[in-house]
Amino acid sequence: MAYSDKVIDHYENPRNVGKMDADDQNVGTGMVGAPACGDVMRLQIKVDDNGVIEDAKFKTYGCGSAIASSSLVTEMVKGKTLDEAAAIKNMEIVEELALPPVKIHCSVLAEDAIAAAIADLREKRGETAPAKAESAA
Amino acid sequence: MSNLNIPVYLDYSATTPVDERVAKAMTDCLTLQGNFGNPASRSHVFGWKAEDAVVEARKNVADLIGANPKEIVWTSGATESDNLAIKGAAHFYSSKGKHIITVKTEHKAVLDTCRQLEREGFEVTYLDPEDNGLVDINKLAAAIRDDTTVVSVMHVNNEIGVIQDIAAIGALTRSKGIIFHVDAAQSPGKVAIDVNAMNVDLMSLCAHKVYGPKGIGALYVRRKPRVRIEAQIHGGGHERGMRSGTLATHQIVGMGESFRIAHEEMDVENARVEALRDRLYNGLKDMEEVYVNGDLEQRIPGNLNISFNFVEGESLMMSLKDIAVSSGSACTSDSLEPSYVLRALGRNDELAHSSLRFTLGRFTTPEEVDFTIAEVRKAVEKLRDLSPLWDMFKDGVDLDSVQWAAH
């Protein structure tokens, strides 16, 4: 199987690997996937006082495309508001990484991870989420 | 030549390079100056010479498995041999019964052939192996019915390298008057084979796992007591009517030479390869959360199938770009299902996704093994640092207690 240069770059030099304190009121954690399916992503976002994502960290168990997809979304969400981050679509990841059709599920998982992290943060902060757009599964 | 050839080839169960001696024998059977004749030409020296070469190859293949050369039928490979054996025997004996027994860890060439027979109205029992990959003879005996005509069990498993007790199964099937087929694609040169001592009736063989060429195989068909099969390919009545088609002299000579060498050198080679396999295992086994898949004792020398828990197999292979191995991870297949062989052993899906198969062979060197150990350790460590499951494991979280959102 041939990987795109961008997948290889993110795989070999993953951005923002790590773990934040899940109990921090400004940190939202999203964990999606399942070990039995071969991929699990944990995405964490941290917002500043203005509700802008100032930091993001991930760890992923999965194939190279899953690792690259989660590495990429940590870069994409930084500097965005929660609403802007929630609007990220999996096809943006597919296009950026040139994922082949069999790997599209990796990008879907990354989109789900963003949504889960945002939902966690909003719940902590007592906000109600705006109507969530359907994910393009 | 250096003893470290990068990329390192550790996928000998997928296929082997052709031995130089085999390649030489084959190239002597192609050109005008060589032995290019049609072995079926009875009227001139070109045909006679080609036939002589085929006779010698037939003897070399028969010798390795303790058979008579007249019991060897040339085919295009083990897949064709499996089809010819199982369909051929099931069809021929269908008036006696239409029940077949095989095992869930068989190669797809056997399983898909059985599926086809099911579509034709046959019944097939797919036995579960034990957790070590071996068949429990009592469970096999219990599955036998009055209308069972064929039992098909592989000798050596292609993924986990375990060796089934063929002699025990053969004694059982012979006592019941059931045809016993053995897919032996992976065993020649690695395990001693004696079709008489083992009471095997049909045995599939191929050359390209034994340092011979791809595209050639054979089916052993017992003569005493006589085993009958229906031909699947019809034509000029070659191979006593069981498999028509002009014999490919160069391919057959290649298979014969590869089996002759395997027979002659197997004791020395197996001792060497086993030492290398143990060297590899010893270099990895002290890592945390590594599991060998399949029985370690009843196993061919060159196979190490191992799961690195909390690391996904495809990403591991991506890190090992200088090492050619294969994985039971779903991501390496088109189906998105992890290895059916590992699942049949009762391995959970996580461990199946995390498996790598290393298969060593004739040209593997100690330097290549040491390089592999270092690369694997580095890659597993890197990927565990990236793995949320590893974090959770280290934090003492029981992963089975987590509610995962399956997708």
Side-chain angles (χ1 to χ4, degrees), chain A residues 31-64:
Chain A
M31 185 144 75
V32 295
C37 303
D39 31 34
V40 174
M41 281 182 194
R42 186 182 67 209
L43 177 69
Q44 293 183 299
I45 51 173
K46 185 173 190 181
V47 289
D48 64 16
D49 296 339
N50 302 317
V52 173
I53 297 171
E54 59 174 11
D55 199 7
K57 296 278 185 218
F58 87 97
K59 284 205 179 186
T60 290
Y61 160 86
C63 65

PDB file of all heavy atoms in Angstrom, chain A residues 31-64:
ATOM      1  N   MET A  31     -12.637  10.653  23.113  1.00  0.00           N
ATOM      2  CA  MET A  31     -12.001   9.391  22.746  1.00  0.00           C
ATOM      3  C   MET A  31     -12.990   8.598  21.913  1.00  0.00           C
ATOM      4  O   MET A  31     -14.110   8.325  22.338  1.00  0.00           O
ATOM      5  CB  MET A  31     -11.582   8.593  23.972  1.00  0.00           C
ATOM      6  CG  MET A  31     -10.822   7.357  23.562  1.00  0.00           C
ATOM      7  SD  MET A  31      -9.490   6.912  24.663  1.00  0.00           S
ATOM      8  CE  MET A  31     -10.435   6.249  25.990  1.00  0.00           C
ATOM      9  N   VAL A  32     -12.587   8.243  20.709  1.00  0.00           N
ATOM     10  CA  VAL A  32     -13.494   7.556  19.781  1.00  0.00           C
ATOM     11  C   VAL A  32     -12.802   6.338  19.189  1.00  0.00           C
ATOM     12  O   VAL A  32     -11.585   6.227  19.222  1.00  0.00           O
ATOM     13  CB  VAL A  32     -13.959   8.502  18.641  1.00  0.00           C
ATOM     14  CG1 VAL A  32     -14.804   9.639  19.184  1.00  0.00           C
ATOM     15  CG2 VAL A  32     -12.757   9.051  17.869  1.00  0.00           C
ATOM     16  N   GLY A  33     -13.624   5.442  18.645  1.00  0.00           N
ATOM     17  CA  GLY A  33     -13.095   4.204  18.070  1.00  0.00           C
ATOM     18  C   GLY A  33     -13.106   3.096  19.106  1.00  0.00           C
ATOM     19  O   GLY A  33     -13.588   3.275  20.222  1.00  0.00           O
ATOM     20  N   ALA A  34     -12.566   1.951  18.717  1.00  0.00           N
ATOM     21  CA  ALA A  34     -12.528   0.801  19.608  1.00  0.00           C
ATOM     22  C   ALA A  34     -11.331  -0.069  19.255  1.00  0.00           C
ATOM     23  O   ALA A  34     -10.996  -0.209  18.078  1.00  0.00           O
ATOM     24  CB  ALA A  34     -13.815  -0.008  19.483  1.00  0.00           C
ATOM     25  N   PRO A  35     -10.679  -0.632  20.277  1.00  0.00           N
ATOM     26  CA  PRO A  35      -9.507  -1.478  20.001  1.00  0.00           C
ATOM     27  C   PRO A  35      -9.839  -2.627  19.048  1.00  0.00           C
ATOM     28  O   PRO A  35      -9.027  -2.977  18.184  1.00  0.00           O
ATOM     29  CB  PRO A  35      -9.124  -2.020  21.381  1.00  0.00           C
ATOM     30  CG  PRO A  35      -9.729  -1.095  22.368  1.00  0.00           C
ATOM     31  CD  PRO A  35     -10.954  -0.536  21.722  1.00  0.00           C
ATOM     32  N   ALA A  36     -11.031  -3.188  19.201  1.00  0.00           N
ATOM     33  CA  ALA A  36     -11.397  -4.331  18.366  1.00  0.00           C
ATOM     34  C   ALA A  36     -11.498  -3.950  16.900  1.00  0.00           C
ATOM     35  O   ALA A  36     -11.367  -4.795  16.017  1.00  0.00           O
ATOM     36  CB  ALA A  36     -12.720  -4.923  18.846  1.00  0.00           C
ATOM     37  N   CYS A  37     -11.747  -2.664  16.628  1.00  0.00           N
ATOM     38  CA  CYS A  37     -11.849  -2.211  15.238  1.00  0.00           C
ATOM     39  C   CYS A  37     -10.484  -1.791  14.692  1.00  0.00           C
ATOM     40  O   CYS A  37     -10.363  -1.430  13.526  1.00  0.00           O
ATOM     41  CB  CYS A  37     -12.816  -1.046  15.122  1.00  0.00           C
ATOM     42  SG  CYS A  37     -14.451  -1.432  15.739  1.00  0.00           S
ATOM     43  N   GLY A  38      -9.489  -1.761  15.552  1.00  0.00           N
ATOM     44  CA  GLY A  38      -8.148  -1.431  15.069  1.00  0.00           C
ATOM     45  C   GLY A  38      -7.804   0.035  15.136  1.00  0.00           C
ATOM     46  O   GLY A  38      -6.726   0.422  14.711  1.00  0.00           O
ATOM     47  N   ASP A  39      -8.705   0.886  15.620  1.00  0.00           N
ATOM     48  CA  ASP A  39      -8.285   2.272  15.864  1.00  0.00           C
ATOM     49  C   ASP A  39      -9.035   2.955  17.004  1.00  0.00           C
ATOM     50  O   ASP A  39     -10.239   2.814  17.158  1.00  0.00           O
ATOM     51  CB  ASP A  39      -8.306   3.156  14.610  1.00  0.00           C
ATOM     52  CG  ASP A  39      -9.360   2.775  13.609  1.00  0.00           C
ATOM     53  OD1 ASP A  39     -10.427   2.327  14.043  1.00  0.00           O
ATOM     54  OD2 ASP A  39      -9.123   2.940  12.395  1.00  0.00           O
ATOM     55  N   VAL A  40      -8.255   3.666  17.806  1.00  0.00           N
ATOM     56  CA  VAL A  40      -8.782   4.463  18.914  1.00  0.00           C
ATOM     57  C   VAL A  40      -8.045   5.799  18.873  1.00  0.00           C
ATOM     58  O   VAL A  40      -6.824   5.832  18.823  1.00  0.00           O
ATOM     59  CB  VAL A  40      -8.522   3.794  20.280  1.00  0.00           C
ATOM     60  CG1 VAL A  40      -8.945   4.718  21.418  1.00  0.00           C
ATOM     61  CG2 VAL A  40      -9.236   2.451  20.377  1.00  0.00           C
ATOM     62  N   MET A  41      -8.818   6.894  18.861  1.00  0.00           N
ATOM     63  CA  MET A  41      -8.202   8.227  18.891  1.00  0.00           C
ATOM     64  C   MET A  41      -8.603   8.940  20.169  1.00  0.00           C
ATOM     65  O   MET A  41      -9.773   8.910  20.552  1.00  0.00           O
ATOM     66  CB  MET A  41      -8.745   9.096  17.745  1.00  0.00           C
ATOM     67  CG  MET A  41      -8.139   8.815  16.413  1.00  0.00           C
ATOM     68  SD  MET A  41      -8.839   9.958  15.177  1.00  0.00           S
ATOM     69  CE  MET A  41      -8.278   9.107  13.706  1.00  0.00           C
ATOM     70  N   ARG A  42      -7.621   9.576  20.789  1.00  0.00           N
ATOM     71  CA  ARG A  42      -7.938  10.464  21.914  1.00  0.00           C
ATOM     72  C   ARG A  42      -7.467  11.872  21.549  1.00  0.00           C
ATOM     73  O   ARG A  42      -6.274  12.096  21.316  1.00  0.00           O
ATOM     74  CB  ARG A  42      -7.251  10.008  23.201  1.00  0.00           C
ATOM     75  CG  ARG A  42      -7.720  10.858  24.408  1.00  0.00           C
ATOM     76  CD  ARG A  42      -7.022  10.454  25.683  1.00  0.00           C
ATOM     77  NE  ARG A  42      -5.621  10.776  25.601  1.00  0.00           N
ATOM     78  CZ  ARG A  42      -4.670  10.099  26.239  1.00  0.00           C
ATOM     79  NH1 ARG A  42      -4.973   9.073  26.988  1.00  0.00           N
ATOM     80  NH2 ARG A  42      -3.410  10.453  26.121  1.00  0.00           N
ATOM     81  N   LEU A  43      -8.418  12.763  21.439  1.00  0.00           N
ATOM     82  CA  LEU A  43      -8.105  14.153  21.092  1.00  0.00           C
ATOM     83  C   LEU A  43      -8.481  15.036  22.270  1.00  0.00           C
ATOM     84  O   LEU A  43      -9.569  14.901  22.843  1.00  0.00           O
ATOM     85  CB  LEU A  43      -8.912  14.573  19.852  1.00  0.00           C
ATOM     86  CG  LEU A  43      -8.739  16.032  19.417  1.00  0.00           C
ATOM     87  CD1 LEU A  43      -7.332  16.278  18.867  1.00  0.00           C
ATOM     88  CD2 LEU A  43      -9.774  16.412  18.362  1.00  0.00           C
ATOM     89  N   GLN A  44      -7.573  15.925  22.641  1.00  0.00           N
ATOM     90  CA  GLN A  44      -7.857  16.860  23.739  1.00  0.00           C
ATOM     91  C   GLN A  44      -7.638  18.285  23.243  1.00  0.00           C
ATOM     92  O   GLN A  44      -6.670  18.555  22.526  1.00  0.00           O
ATOM     93  CB  GLN A  44      -6.941  16.570  24.934  1.00  0.00           C
ATOM     94  CG  GLN A  44      -7.251  15.220  25.563  1.00  0.00           C
ATOM     95  CD  GLN A  44      -6.408  14.958  26.792  1.00  0.00           C
ATOM     96  OE1 GLN A  44      -5.190  14.904  26.705  1.00  0.00           O
ATOM     97  NE2 GLN A  44      -7.062  14.799  27.942  1.00  0.00           N
ATOM     98  N   ILE A  45      -8.566  19.159  23.638  1.00  0.00           N
ATOM     99  CA  ILE A  45      -8.430  20.570  23.264  1.00  0.00           C
ATOM    100  C   ILE A  45      -8.480  21.415  24.528  1.00  0.00           C
ATOM    101  O   ILE A  45      -9.143  21.064  25.502  1.00  0.00           O
ATOM    102  CB  ILE A  45      -9.565  21.021  22.305  1.00  0.00           C
ATOM    103  CG1 ILE A  45     -10.945  20.654  22.872  1.00  0.00           C
ATOM    104  CG2 ILE A  45      -9.373  20.427  20.920  1.00  0.00           C
ATOM    105  CD1 ILE A  45     -12.105  21.203  22.064  1.00  0.00           C
ATOM    106  N   LYS A  46      -7.758  22.530  24.496  1.00  0.00           N
ATOM    107  CA  LYS A  46      -7.761  23.444  25.640  1.00  0.00           C
ATOM    108  C   LYS A  46      -8.131  24.828  25.132  1.00  0.00           C
ATOM    109  O   LYS A  46      -7.546  25.306  24.152  1.00  0.00           O
ATOM    110  CB  LYS A  46      -6.370  23.475  26.276  1.00  0.00           C
ATOM    111  CG  LYS A  46      -6.299  24.303  27.547  1.00  0.00           C
ATOM    112  CD  LYS A  46      -4.944  24.153  28.202  1.00  0.00           C
ATOM    113  CE  LYS A  46      -4.978  24.790  29.583  1.00  0.00           C
ATOM    114  NZ  LYS A  46      -3.683  24.697  30.250  1.00  0.00           N
ATOM    115  N   VAL A  47      -9.126  25.450  25.781  1.00  0.00           N
ATOM    116  CA  VAL A  47      -9.567  26.766  25.318  1.00  0.00           C
ATOM    117  C   VAL A  47      -9.073  27.868  26.250  1.00  0.00           C
ATOM    118  O   VAL A  47      -8.848  27.638  27.445  1.00  0.00           O
ATOM    119  CB  VAL A  47     -11.113  26.850  25.231  1.00  0.00           C
ATOM    120  CG1 VAL A  47     -11.619  26.018  24.071  1.00  0.00           C
ATOM    121  CG2 VAL A  47     -11.765  26.452  26.524  1.00  0.00           C
ATOM    122  N   ASP A  48      -8.887  29.056  25.700  1.00  0.00           N
ATOM    123  CA  ASP A  48      -8.527  30.204  26.537  1.00  0.00           C
ATOM    124  C   ASP A  48      -9.795  30.886  27.037  1.00  0.00           C
ATOM    125  O   ASP A  48     -10.910  30.393  26.816  1.00  0.00           O
ATOM    126  CB  ASP A  48      -7.602  31.162  25.775  1.00  0.00           C
ATOM    127  CG  ASP A  48      -8.286  31.775  24.554  1.00  0.00           C
ATOM    128  OD1 ASP A  48      -9.541  31.705  24.459  1.00  0.00           O
ATOM    129  OD2 ASP A  48      -7.569  32.313  23.681  1.00  0.00           O
ATOM    130  N   ASP A  49      -9.646  32.039  27.683  1.00  0.00           N
ATOM    131  CA  ASP A  49     -10.805  32.688  28.297  1.00  0.00           C
ATOM    132  C   ASP A  49     -11.829  33.160  27.272  1.00  0.00           C
ATOM    133  O   ASP A  49     -12.999  33.359  27.586  1.00  0.00           O
ATOM    134  CB  ASP A  49     -10.329  33.890  29.141  1.00  0.00           C
ATOM    135  CG  ASP A  49      -9.448  33.423  30.294  1.00  0.00           C
ATOM    136  OD1 ASP A  49      -9.552  32.218  30.650  1.00  0.00           O
ATOM    137  OD2 ASP A  49      -8.643  34.230  30.805  1.00  0.00           O
ATOM    138  N   ASN A  50     -11.366  33.335  26.039  1.00  0.00           N
ATOM    139  CA  ASN A  50     -12.293  33.780  24.986  1.00  0.00           C
ATOM    140  C   ASN A  50     -12.965  32.624  24.255  1.00  0.00           C
ATOM    141  O   ASN A  50     -13.634  32.832  23.245  1.00  0.00           O
ATOM    142  CB  ASN A  50     -11.545  34.636  23.967  1.00  0.00           C
ATOM    143  CG  ASN A  50     -10.896  35.841  24.635  1.00  0.00           C
ATOM    144  OD1 ASN A  50     -11.519  36.487  25.484  1.00  0.00           O
ATOM    145  ND2 ASN A  50      -9.656  36.103  24.278  1.00  0.00           N
ATOM    146  N   GLY A  51     -12.696  31.405  24.730  1.00  0.00           N
ATOM    147  CA  GLY A  51     -13.310  30.248  24.082  1.00  0.00           C
ATOM    148  C   GLY A  51     -12.618  29.850  22.791  1.00  0.00           C
ATOM    149  O   GLY A  51     -13.189  29.139  21.962  1.00  0.00           O
ATOM    150  N   VAL A  52     -11.387  30.295  22.635  1.00  0.00           N
ATOM    151  CA  VAL A  52     -10.625  29.918  21.442  1.00  0.00           C
ATOM    152  C   VAL A  52      -9.668  28.774  21.807  1.00  0.00           C
ATOM    153  O   VAL A  52      -9.069  28.784  22.897  1.00  0.00           O
ATOM    154  CB  VAL A  52      -9.825  31.130  20.907  1.00  0.00           C
ATOM    155  CG1 VAL A  52      -8.902  30.697  19.758  1.00  0.00           C
ATOM    156  CG2 VAL A  52     -10.773  32.222  20.435  1.00  0.00           C
ATOM    157  N   ILE A  53      -9.566  27.801  20.914  1.00  0.00           N
ATOM    158  CA  ILE A  53      -8.713  26.641  21.204  1.00  0.00           C
ATOM    159  C   ILE A  53      -7.259  27.081  21.113  1.00  0.00           C
ATOM    160  O   ILE A  53      -6.776  27.493  20.060  1.00  0.00           O
ATOM    161  CB  ILE A  53      -9.006  25.498  20.209  1.00  0.00           C
ATOM    162  CG1 ILE A  53     -10.457  25.033  20.378  1.00  0.00           C
ATOM    163  CG2 ILE A  53      -8.039  24.330  20.429  1.00  0.00           C
ATOM    164  CD1 ILE A  53     -10.944  24.059  19.310  1.00  0.00           C
ATOM    165  N   GLU A  54      -6.565  27.003  22.260  1.00  0.00           N
ATOM    166  CA  GLU A  54      -5.177  27.466  22.281  1.00  0.00           C
ATOM    167  C   GLU A  54      -4.197  26.306  22.186  1.00  0.00           C
ATOM    168  O   GLU A  54      -3.050  26.483  21.822  1.00  0.00           O
ATOM    169  CB  GLU A  54      -4.896  28.300  23.530  1.00  0.00           C
ATOM    170  CG  GLU A  54      -5.138  27.534  24.823  1.00  0.00           C
ATOM    171  CD  GLU A  54      -4.702  28.329  26.060  1.00  0.00           C
ATOM    172  OE1 GLU A  54      -4.422  29.530  25.906  1.00  0.00           O
ATOM    173  OE2 GLU A  54      -4.657  27.736  27.147  1.00  0.00           O
ATOM    174  N   ASP A  55      -4.681  25.108  22.518  1.00  0.00           N
ATOM    175  CA  ASP A  55      -3.769  23.964  22.427  1.00  0.00           C
ATOM    176  C   ASP A  55      -4.580  22.704  22.124  1.00  0.00           C
ATOM    177  O   ASP A  55      -5.773  22.633  22.441  1.00  0.00           O
ATOM    178  CB  ASP A  55      -2.996  23.785  23.740  1.00  0.00           C
ATOM    179  CG  ASP A  55      -1.730  22.937  23.550  1.00  0.00           C
ATOM    180  OD1 ASP A  55      -1.401  22.620  22.378  1.00  0.00           O
ATOM    181  OD2 ASP A  55      -1.093  22.593  24.554  1.00  0.00           O
ATOM    182  N   ALA A  56      -3.927  21.747  21.515  1.00  0.00           N
ATOM    183  CA  ALA A  56      -4.578  20.468  21.221  1.00  0.00           C
ATOM    184  C   ALA A  56      -3.526  19.375  21.295  1.00  0.00           C
ATOM    185  O   ALA A  56      -2.366  19.597  20.934  1.00  0.00           O
ATOM    186  CB  ALA A  56      -5.211  20.486  19.823  1.00  0.00           C
ATOM    187  N   LYS A  57      -3.930  18.228  21.809  1.00  0.00           N
ATOM    188  CA  LYS A  57      -3.016  17.078  21.914  1.00  0.00           C
ATOM    189  C   LYS A  57      -3.760  15.817  21.478  1.00  0.00           C
ATOM    190  O   LYS A  57      -4.988  15.732  21.605  1.00  0.00           O
ATOM    191  CB  LYS A  57      -2.563  16.879  23.379  1.00  0.00           C
ATOM    192  CG  LYS A  57      -1.743  18.015  23.947  1.00  0.00           C
ATOM    193  CD  LYS A  57      -0.290  17.897  23.540  1.00  0.00           C
ATOM    194  CE  LYS A  57       0.555  18.978  24.214  1.00  0.00           C
ATOM    195  NZ  LYS A  57       1.592  19.484  23.295  1.00  0.00           N
ATOM    196  N   PHE A  58      -2.990  14.867  20.977  1.00  0.00           N
ATOM    197  CA  PHE A  58      -3.643  13.599  20.617  1.00  0.00           C
ATOM    198  C   PHE A  58      -2.744  12.416  20.935  1.00  0.00           C
ATOM    199  O   PHE A  58      -1.533  12.552  21.076  1.00  0.00           O
ATOM    200  CB  PHE A  58      -3.987  13.576  19.118  1.00  0.00           C
ATOM    201  CG  PHE A  58      -2.852  13.083  18.254  1.00  0.00           C
ATOM    202  CD1 PHE A  58      -2.790  11.751  17.837  1.00  0.00           C
ATOM    203  CD2 PHE A  58      -1.814  13.924  17.876  1.00  0.00           C
ATOM    204  CE1 PHE A  58      -1.731  11.288  17.061  1.00  0.00           C
ATOM    205  CE2 PHE A  58      -0.752  13.456  17.100  1.00  0.00           C
ATOM    206  CZ  PHE A  58      -0.709  12.144  16.685  1.00  0.00           C
ATOM    207  N   LYS A  59      -3.409  11.289  21.051  1.00  0.00           N
ATOM    208  CA  LYS A  59      -2.722   9.986  20.971  1.00  0.00           C
ATOM    209  C   LYS A  59      -3.645   9.068  20.202  1.00  0.00           C
ATOM    210  O   LYS A  59      -4.867   9.104  20.397  1.00  0.00           O
ATOM    211  CB  LYS A  59      -2.417   9.410  22.359  1.00  0.00           C
ATOM    212  CG  LYS A  59      -1.238  10.081  23.040  1.00  0.00           C
ATOM    213  CD  LYS A  59      -0.566   9.202  24.072  1.00  0.00           C
ATOM    214  CE  LYS A  59       0.631   9.950  24.691  1.00  0.00           C
ATOM    215  NZ  LYS A  59       1.415   9.081  25.605  1.00  0.00           N
ATOM    216  N   THR A  60      -3.079   8.280  19.327  1.00  0.00           N
ATOM    217  CA  THR A  60      -3.896   7.399  18.488  1.00  0.00           C
ATOM    218  C   THR A  60      -3.281   6.015  18.375  1.00  0.00           C
ATOM    219  O   THR A  60      -2.073   5.877  18.153  1.00  0.00           O
ATOM    220  CB  THR A  60      -4.059   8.007  17.082  1.00  0.00           C
ATOM    221  OG1 THR A  60      -4.903   9.155  17.184  1.00  0.00           O
ATOM    222  CG2 THR A  60      -4.692   7.016  16.105  1.00  0.00           C
ATOM    223  N   TYR A  61      -4.143   5.014  18.549  1.00  0.00           N
ATOM    224  CA  TYR A  61      -3.805   3.626  18.241  1.00  0.00           C
ATOM    225  C   TYR A  61      -4.482   3.345  16.913  1.00  0.00           C
ATOM    226  O   TYR A  61      -5.710   3.477  16.810  1.00  0.00           O
ATOM    227  CB  TYR A  61      -4.352   2.720  19.345  1.00  0.00           C
ATOM    228  CG  TYR A  61      -4.506   1.268  18.976  1.00  0.00           C
ATOM    229  CD1 TYR A  61      -3.446   0.380  19.088  1.00  0.00           C
ATOM    230  CD2 TYR A  61      -5.729   0.776  18.534  1.00  0.00           C
ATOM    231  CE1 TYR A  61      -3.600  -0.966  18.770  1.00  0.00           C
ATOM    232  CE2 TYR A  61      -5.890  -0.564  18.208  1.00  0.00           C
ATOM    233  CZ  TYR A  61      -4.820  -1.433  18.321  1.00  0.00           C
ATOM    234  OH  TYR A  61      -4.984  -2.740  18.008  1.00  0.00           O
ATOM    235  N   GLY A  62      -3.719   3.026  15.901  1.00  0.00           N
ATOM    236  CA  GLY A  62      -4.351   2.755  14.616  1.00  0.00           C
ATOM    237  C   GLY A  62      -3.337   2.755  13.507  1.00  0.00           C
ATOM    238  O   GLY A  62      -2.133   2.840  13.754  1.00  0.00           O
ATOM    239  N   CYS A  63      -3.832   2.661  12.287  1.00  0.00           N
ATOM    240  CA  CYS A  63      -2.935   2.591  11.146  1.00  0.00           C
ATOM    241  C   CYS A  63      -2.297   3.954  10.889  1.00  0.00           C
ATOM    242  O   CYS A  63      -2.637   4.948  11.533  1.00  0.00           O
ATOM    243  CB  CYS A  63      -3.698   2.114   9.914  1.00  0.00           C
ATOM    244  SG  CYS A  63      -4.953   3.264   9.364  1.00  0.00           S
ATOM    245  N   GLY A  64      -1.381   4.013   9.969  1.00  0.00           N
ATOM    246  CA  GLY A  64      -0.671   5.249   9.667  1.00  0.00           C
ATOM    247  C   GLY A  64      -1.606   6.386   9.292  1.00  0.00           C
ATOM    248  O   GLY A  64      -1.401   7.538   9.684  1.00  0.00           O
TER     249      GLY A  64
END
